[in-house]
Amino acid sequence: MKRKICVVITARPSYSRIKTALTAINNHPELELQLVVAASALLDRYGNAVNNIEKDGFTITAKVFNVLEGENLTAAAKTTGIGILELSTVFNNLNPDIVVTVADRFETMATAISASYMNIPLAHIQGGEVTGNIDEKVRHAITKLADYHFVASKDAHQRVIKLGENPEFVFNTGCPSIDLAYEIQQTPVLDFDPIKKYGGVGGRPDLSQGYWVVMQHPVTTEVGDSRFHIEETLHAMHEINQPVFWFWPNVDAGADGTSTGIRSFRETHQLDNFHFFKNMEPQDFLKLLYSSKGLIGNSSVGIRECAFMGVPVVNIGSRQNSRERGNNVKDVGYSRIEILNSLKEIENSPKPKISTIYGNGDAGEKIAQLLSEIPLVFHKTITF
Amino acid sequence: MKRKICVVITARPSYSRIKTALTAINNHPELELQLVVAASALLDRYGNAVNNIEKDGFTITAKVFNVLEGENLTAAAKTTGIGILELSTVFNNLNPDIVVTVADRFETMATAISASYMNIPLAHIQGGEVTGNIDEKVRHAITKLADYHFVASKDAHQRVIKLGENPEFVFNTGCPSIDLAYEIQQTPVLDFDPIKKYGGVGGRPDLSQGYWVVMQHPVTTEVGDSRFHIEETLHAMHEINQPVFWFWPNVDAGADGTSTGIRSFRETHQLDNFHFFKNMEPQDFLKLLYSSKGLIGNSSVGIRECAFMGVPVVNIGSRQNSRERGNNVKDVGYSRIEILNSLKEIENSPKPKISTIYGNGDAGEKIAQLLSEIPLVFHKTITF
Amino acid sequence: MKRKICVVITARPSYSRIKTALTAINNHPELELQLVVAASALLDRYGNAVNNIEKDGFTITAKVFNVLEGENLTAAAKTTGIGILELSTVFNNLNPDIVVTVADRFETMATAISASYMNIPLAHIQGGEVTGNIDEKVRHAITKLADYHFVASKDAHQRVIKLGENPEFVFNTGCPSIDLAYEIQQTPVLDFDPIKKYGGVGGRPDLSQGYWVVMQHPVTTEVGDSRFHIEETLHAMHEINQPVFWFWPNVDAGADGTSTGIRSFRETHQLDNFHFFKNMEPQDFLKLLYSSKGLIGNSSVGIRECAFMGVPVVNIGSRQNSRERGNNVKDVGYSRIEILNSLKEIENSPKPKISTIYGNGDAGEKIAQLLSEIPLVFHKTITF
Amino acid sequence: MKRKICVVITARPSYSRIKTALTAINNHPELELQLVVAASALLDRYGNAVNNIEKDGFTITAKVFNVLEGENLTAAAKTTGIGILELSTVFNNLNPDIVVTVADRFETMATAISASYMNIPLAHIQGGEVTGNIDEKVRHAITKLADYHFVASKDAHQRVIKLGENPEFVFNTGCPSIDLAYEIQQTPVLDFDPIKKYGGVGGRPDLSQGYWVVMQHPVTTEVGDSRFHIEETLHAMHEINQPVFWFWPNVDAGADGTSTGIRSFRETHQLDNFHFFKNMEPQDFLKLLYSSKGLIGNSSVGIRECAFMGVPVVNIGSRQNSRERGNNVKDVGYSRIEILNSLKEIENSPKPKISTIYGNGDAGEKIAQLLSEIPLVFHKTITF
């Protein structure tokens, strides 16, 4: 009998971070994939990851609507509560052998609690990293609930073990998102017209001299500041006056500040060089990054995939705080001047070297193989 | 302006474990107590702790009904989800400066998630201990969500720091439950008739030759076994044929196995020496223990208060697994023979020495003072 | 393609009231039964109807745990809220052509709201009756949400039409519970030993001179009174000093008053003539009634099945208020004297005549046939 | 002691429909207002009614976030379920003497269920009307749950009584929204610049030759059609080529179709004559209507306030189906041609006469007075 592996995807970025593992599970002769799509991954205004998932040929076993409107911190907590109510029923029906939860967004806690409370062995992808903000609390709390840890770097591997987890069940598989970057690496051509393929709104800048990509999310511990933060970045990108592809933020408490900031800036400034996208298929996004002058914002893609692809990154503020970096990253504060200076510095520097700190491109395969072999356990004791 | 300290009590045993801290908060000139009573602490069949709380003169700020019936693992998860929904609203209305959560029962996770997701500084009482079972996962996960840690022993103090918490915010206050034991210690007389005062059902045994106390909870990771476990203990106590005061178990997945086991045993055996209680006020329970021949079961009271009071304990099974013990504890498996042998050994040994591993009797005062002084923070980064 | 008929059963009594319809749906060549068991029908302390359902050979499509503990009015409301959350997901997955909801217990509203809000045609069994109390509000509100009405009497038929429903979709099928009574009618022998088969607790009375059956539920609009009410009945039955089979109440706000009243009376009175049951399979229960001297309490079985079987009934209080009655029913208040007098009157009267006001015994067949034929609609306008 | 009147507002239009009653309750010496704001009334993208409420000087007693994202029918059901969970807690804390629910949006059912299940007397504003679609089911179901009925027309008054309600508790107060129209009637000048005051997006049309107002909501029973419907209206308004103030739709299942239709039309057409608003304070909205050439869409404002103010209305489709109309209303289907023809007809006709079918302008006062006098009851029996 095949092991039933239930993977819960709750947001667009989590999908790219797990995609190659999903494929590998699907292809593995001893595994059966149960794919649950939930939360903002189902919602139009956050990029409707579910469409990409279906287009990529995955069968969705269950959909869970649990995002409570409000985009404040109370709603984030309640979204997690509803997630537990719903996922418990789903797990009860699907009866999986292992549940897999990805990364550290607030609502992933619902997956972790439902599985661990129901005595279902829980695997956590991408524990052990350090970032600051609420993600930091969520990530390590999930580590303490999880039975297996598939981490993305040596550093993370050590940290999870230091957290008292049994080293036997902590595996440095690398990050599955690097698997995608590895594929791009093979044929790194921007072989599509982003605006034609993805629509979006804004100008149609001339790309012949290169372009920048911006992806900046609100930071949950600084809710009130999210509008100010985004405006500084908008000013910086406006001032450098070069083509920009700008991506809308995730559904997080504070997204309204970010979104409002962007909308209002668009009304009051001439932004012919800006084009705004809601989302993009992961591979296309990586191709877009690969051919860009650099990524600006606070997405973990800058830390991870961009390191492997050698794409320069201006990393703004505290969101990726202490995550391990390659030498492609320049850390700056929120001010437009700092951002602008970094952009200029990038223009005057050679392309950064490639780094494999987050994996070699075979993480998905490794994870599937481990899921087929590891003993099924849901009982653990701290090692110290 | 006084700091608003919101303490959430979700079960009868948590109340005794925090009671002296509640009093100290109430009496502290710079603190205002917001007392939330939730989950099984409100329910008749789990001892209705809320009655004791009101009788003790505390004002209850809000009541939260969130226990989903079913007494299976799915219901435990859902109870936690409903708890998050409800407590988020409560916290949003009360707007506390600090939220306090007690110990490690599954539903305390709801308090921890609501507070930490809403950026309210979270204090955790009794982190850092080791027990095994789901409590183990819950306890350490809450440590990773909490901002302040009021632990009960040196061992726990070290463990929380090892978990990557900032040592500045980890305090070995001792356990407030020891404060109660300390009071009993001063006048350790059984100055009430337990049956007269608390009713209950069963025989009215002759106490002149001494009596035993039993409190055995189901162990959540071994749900199916709970009926077998309780029957072994019933047989042992039946065989030794001495007076027994028996306490009903908590509301946990598996309680039905335990309860059914007890009920069925009562129907088929002559139990004149047994008297069954639903619950008892904390001080009375400690007095009862103090004057007893010993405590049998798997309650943490055996590890903690009994250590301080020098009461012999037969600790059954894995529930208190690796918690630090005084020399008053004999650890046994679930079999009636092992239990019986330990009872006999206790009868032939001198009373154990008093141990202060879980505090000196001033934990409540220490906690209140710390809550009035510690800087308000809700942002943290792992120390390694 | 078969029509998918999703029937939601939320309580023990609803099961007997729909059972023959379930069988007929299962046997119908053009129908597929989707059976959802929810709320107290899943819970041990309310008779675990789910066990009977499975023993009767029905396949359960989904189980929904939604009873919030508390047994107060707030918990009843919240149970309904959780029911909506859960059933919406269930309906979304099962995608039924018609949803069937039974009778008027508070939590059946969850079925009605989920189905009607999701544009799924909704059939209501047993609308149009009059009883008083919250059931009254619930029943008629469900009528206004439902698209088809399968009512149990002429009186109910007229009332639903008066409520503005399209007469085309109001059908007097009779009550499926009468179908069971019809079967009993054929071979009305008490062919089992109730105590041997169903256990229960209490004395083992001598049945040779006949026995009474009691089933009395708390009345939700008089919560505080439920303990007093049950005590009056207990006194009456104690005084007449004849064998009694007593059934525990439903999970309703107030059940605790009823249960506590019973438990406490048992501790203080000698009740050798009383035997207490949690529940019984519907057919066995009807056989037990058929051979009894009469039914005491406020169950609708007294009004309905007992009319068809000619069993005398002492109907207590307001719960069955204005439901149509056969001449087998004596209505009394809550006082022990009134109850006692009615018992004596019954003993001195001939057996009542059989009445078919609630059907002829073919309701299940009629309902299944209608479900296979009626046009699928979920849009309606009031007729006046 | 003052009677505590708890009014629950769940959407922007409900606020204007109850506003003068809120003022009258606030001013009444024997009443205390408990104002609960919930659901889309709290959300930015549906006009944030809560801001208007606060600006108007009302104190908000509790806020309830319960809108589940998804904008499909399942989410509408779940939003109602969450509403029940939350409102039950709110009512339990506020302990009101009477709860007031307004009109017939799907989520108002949550107010009705929580109040009636908790035995709190429930008043319903605007029952008894006829419209078709899910509102129709919701409205009459709430009538069957409510204890008092404050209806807006003679027709509605008769219908509620026909539904079996006690005539003693059915009151034709008129609609409080007419109270606002009455005030406008006194000084009907457009004394503000709508674009300056409310922002919005789109062109700045020249108003000197008059303008139209459009407000068209999706119809829940025709979800799939909502995009097509809105496009027809867009084409009609585009073709007539006169100034238009266009208001975004409510949060209903299907709003996405409507919103997407509007957004996409804007991208592909030159709409210099269109200006889009999210919302407007009720009085300003009425002033805008008063001075307009007419209202196009399916808002009940067209049926109600516009009748009293003599504003021409092109009423599209089934949403206001059988509501009583003044002679200001032209009913049309969804096609652009029908709409266009009606616009031209209006231009060539004199202003319609004023109608008082929905009240005289003193509804708020009447409601407050009744709330202070009616006996407190929560128990009722159908009258037939």
Side-chain angles (χ1 to χ4, degrees), chain C residues 178-225:
Chain C
I178 300 301
D179 304 3
L180 292 180
Y182 177 84
E183 288 172 26
I184 301 307
Q185 203 78 282
Q186 313 310 310
T187 52
V189 192
L190 187 61
D191 54 1
F192 65 100
D193 176 340
I195 297 179
K196 208 164 167 185
K197 184 158 179 189
Y198 289 99
V201 298
R204 293 172 183 261
D206 168 18
L207 307 183
S208 61
Q209 301 305 311
Y211 58 88
W212 302 93
V213 178
V214 180
M215 183 179 259
Q216 183 166 349
H217 303 293
V219 179
T220 48
T221 46
E222 304 155 344
V223 168
D225 301 331

Side-chain angles (χ1 to χ4, degrees), chain D residues 31-300:
Chain D
L31 298 178
E32 175 190 331
L33 177 64
Q34 298 175 324
L35 185 56
V36 177
V37 181
S40 71
L42 289 169
L43 296 178
D44 212 42
R45 44 177 191 146
Y46 303 103
N48 226 326
V50 69
N51 289 353
N52 291 350
I53 295 171
E54 283 173 335
K55 218 185 308 175
D56 289 343
F58 293 109
T59 304
I60 295 169
T61 315
K63 296 181 184 178
V64 169
F65 288 88
N66 64 313
V67 177
L68 195 77
E69 280 209 44
E71 292 182 350
N72 50 45
L73 296 168
T74 310
K78 281 172 184 282
T79 291
T80 307
I82 300 169
I84 293 172
L85 280 170
E86 298 279 326
L87 288 171
S88 303
T89 303
V90 168
F91 295 161
N92 196 36
N93 290 334
L94 296 185
N95 202 21
D97 293 300
I98 298 176
V99 164
V100 179
T101 190
V102 185
D104 48 29
R105 284 174 53 86
F106 65 89
E107 78 278 356
T108 57
M109 184 63 96
T111 308
I113 286 178
S114 292
S116 59
Y117 279 35
M118 294 171 77
N119 283 351
I120 306 169
L122 174 68
H124 184 209
I125 308 265
Q126 281 182 27
E129 305 188 7
V130 180
T131 52
N133 78 31
I134 180 68
D135 296 355
E136 178 87 11
K137 289 183 174 176
V138 171
R139 187 184 318 108
H140 303 317
I142 293 179
T143 291
K144 298 314 296 177
L145 294 171
D147 302 289
Y148 319 115
H149 313 273
F150 301 140
V151 303
S153 71
K154 268 188 212 161
D155 200 42
H157 186 254
Q158 281 185 309
R159 197 170 290 107
V160 168
I161 289 171
K162 271 196 193 157
L163 276 163
E165 295 301 295
N166 183 346
E168 255 182 84
F169 292 133
V170 189
F171 308 94
N172 181 3
T173 58
C175 180
S177 66
I178 301 301
D179 303 5
L180 292 180
Y182 177 84
E183 288 173 26
I184 301 308
Q185 203 76 282
Q186 312 310 308
T187 51
V189 192
L190 187 63
D191 54 1
F192 63 100
D193 175 341
I195 298 180
K196 209 164 167 186
K197 184 158 178 188
Y198 289 99
V201 297
R204 292 171 183 261
D206 168 18
L207 306 183
S208 60
Q209 301 305 311
Y211 58 88
W212 302 93
V213 178
V214 179
M215 184 179 258
Q216 182 165 351
H217 302 293
V219 178
T220 47
T221 45
E222 304 155 344
V223 167
D225 302 331
S226 59
R227 179 155 179 181
F228 165 72
H229 292 163
I230 202 70
E231 282 172 355
E232 286 297 295
T233 309
L234 284 157
H235 277 294
M237 300 315 296
H238 187 234
E239 208 154 310
I240 198 164
N241 195 19
Q242 297 177 1
V244 179
F245 290 122
W246 196 296
F247 286 80
W248 290 96
N250 284 338
V251 54
D252 274 317
D256 264 358
T258 305
S259 305
T260 311
I262 297 174
R263 281 204 193 91
S264 153
F265 198 87
R266 283 173 60 192
E267 309 255 333
T268 50
H269 291 74
Q270 194 70 18
L271 297 180
D272 296 342
N273 259 331
F274 283 54
H275 195 88
F276 294 87
F277 292 113
K278 267 195 169 170
N279 65 314
M280 204 166 265
E281 290 175 31
Q283 293 96 319
D284 286 350
F285 182 50
L286 293 183
K287 284 180 191 164
L288 190 75
L289 283 173
Y290 196 93
S291 301
S292 76
K293 298 173 104 167
L295 173 68
I296 294 90
N298 56 12
S299 167
S300 62

Side-chain angles (χ1 to χ4, degrees), chain B residues 43-46 65-72 78 82 85-86 200-201 251 256 260 267, chain C residues 43-46 65-72 78 82 85-86 200-201 251 256 260 267:
Chain B
L43 297 177
D44 213 42
R45 45 176 190 147
Y46 305 103
F65 288 88
N66 65 314
V67 177
L68 195 77
E69 280 209 44
E71 293 183 349
N72 50 45
K78 280 172 185 281
I82 300 168
L85 279 170
E86 297 280 326
V201 298
V251 54
D256 264 357
T260 311
E267 309 255 333
Chain C
L43 297 178
D44 212 41
R45 44 175 191 148
Y46 304 102
F65 288 88
N66 66 313
V67 176
L68 195 77
E69 280 209 43
E71 292 182 349
N72 49 45
K78 280 171 185 281
I82 300 169
L85 280 170
E86 297 279 326
V201 298
V251 55
D256 263 359
T260 311
E267 309 256 332

